[in-house]
Amino acid sequence: MVRRQLSLNDRGRAIGWLQDGHTQRSVARRLNVSQSVIGRLWQRFRTTNSIQNRSRSGRPRSTTAREDRFLMITALRQRFVTPRRLRDQPRAATGNNVSDQTIRNRLRDQALRCRRPVVRLQLLARHRRAHLDWCRRHIRWNRGQWAETLFTDESRYLLQFNDGRVRVYRRQGERFADVNVV
């Protein structure tokens, strides 16, 4: 059985079927959830006359859905922005003061993770053409000729101190996208 949360639409359909006389088991089978989910939904509907989630204990969210979307869009437009700078933008617009950790949590909820960027030379169209031309000129080389070739662009040499704290916000699978490369 697949575990998933019922949407409000599915909850309403389930309650309608139960009121029409269908069994909890048949409704659960139709919605591909366990019977206990439908049983709890039916019990809650009979006691509260509502299919909405009940309010939960704990601290209320400090950001609204609109602010969460704003943070996500800003992080996608400015991939190398820090949580501290992201925090200042909604504060200026709405006056809402949130912590850096809240910013990180909201971005993580949107599947944006803070990662170290890939460090490589940016290949422009002329670089790609030059690489392709070079490959075409050397396509017929034998092992002896390749043995005398040294590729120096595979090693990283630092001329100045780098603390490595540059971060980029990206989704899974976007590691080598040009906007995420330093």
Side-chain angles (χ1 to χ4, degrees):
M1 186 67 53
V2 177
R3 288 182 161 246
R4 66 181 184 90
Q5 192 174 23
L6 288 176
S7 67
L8 282 176
N9 189 27
D10 286 342
R11 292 179 202 173
R13 290 171 47 204
I15 294 300
W17 288 329
L18 290 170
Q19 287 175 336
D20 287 343
H22 292 272
T23 64
Q24 291 180 12
R25 183 170 298 192
S26 68
V27 172
R29 215 175 300 121
R30 281 177 134 172
L31 294 175
N32 197 23
V33 294
S34 67
Q35 181 182 349
S36 62
V37 171
I38 301 301
R40 283 192 303 270
L41 175 66
W42 183 238
Q43 180 66 31
R44 181 175 48 205
F45 179 75
R46 288 189 306 173
T47 58
T48 65
N49 204 23
S50 172
I51 59 172
Q52 300 286 336
N53 285 334
R54 285 182 260 182
S55 62
R56 298 196 163 127
S57 63
R59 185 177 180 135
R61 288 179 66 96
S62 59
T63 59
T64 63
R66 186 175 184 181
E67 290 170 333
D68 293 345
R69 269 193 316 277
F70 175 77
L71 290 171
M72 183 190 70
I73 290 169
T74 304
L76 287 173
R77 286 182 180 158
Q78 303 170 15
R79 297 293 181 120
F80 294 91
V81 70
T82 62
R84 181 158 301 187
R85 295 184 100 193
L86 271 175
R87 177 189 69 191
D88 294 340
Q89 292 177 358
R91 183 189 309 168
T94 64
N96 192 0
N97 191 12
V98 295
S99 69
D100 294 350
Q101 187 60 49
T102 299
I103 301 293
R104 289 185 201 98
N105 292 343
R106 297 303 180 259
L107 293 175
R108 188 179 59 239
D109 291 344
Q110 300 292 328
L112 283 174
R113 303 271 195 233
C114 188
R115 301 281 188 232
R116 293 189 65 177
V118 174
V119 179
R120 68 172 189 203
L121 293 175
Q122 185 179 11
L123 294 179
L124 302 175
R126 62 185 168 96
H127 296 132
R128 291 185 179 110
R129 278 193 305 275
H131 282 184
L132 185 60
D133 291 342
W134 188 91
C135 291
R136 287 180 177 153
R137 283 195 314 269
H138 298 87
I139 197 167
R140 304 260 184 239
W141 273 22
N142 61 30
R143 282 185 186 255
Q145 290 170 311
W146 282 114
E148 297 173 4
T149 305
L150 174 67
F151 293 98
T152 59
D153 62 342
E154 295 176 3
S155 299
R156 182 177 176 205
Y157 299 98
L158 296 177
L159 301 178
Q160 296 177 353
F161 176 77
N162 181 4
D163 63 355
R165 295 296 292 175
V166 176
R167 298 279 190 242
V168 61
Y169 280 100
R170 63 178 173 83
R171 294 185 184 114
Q172 189 172 1
E174 291 183 337
R175 181 175 185 193
F176 295 107
D178 286 338
V179 295
N180 300 327
V181 174
V182 174

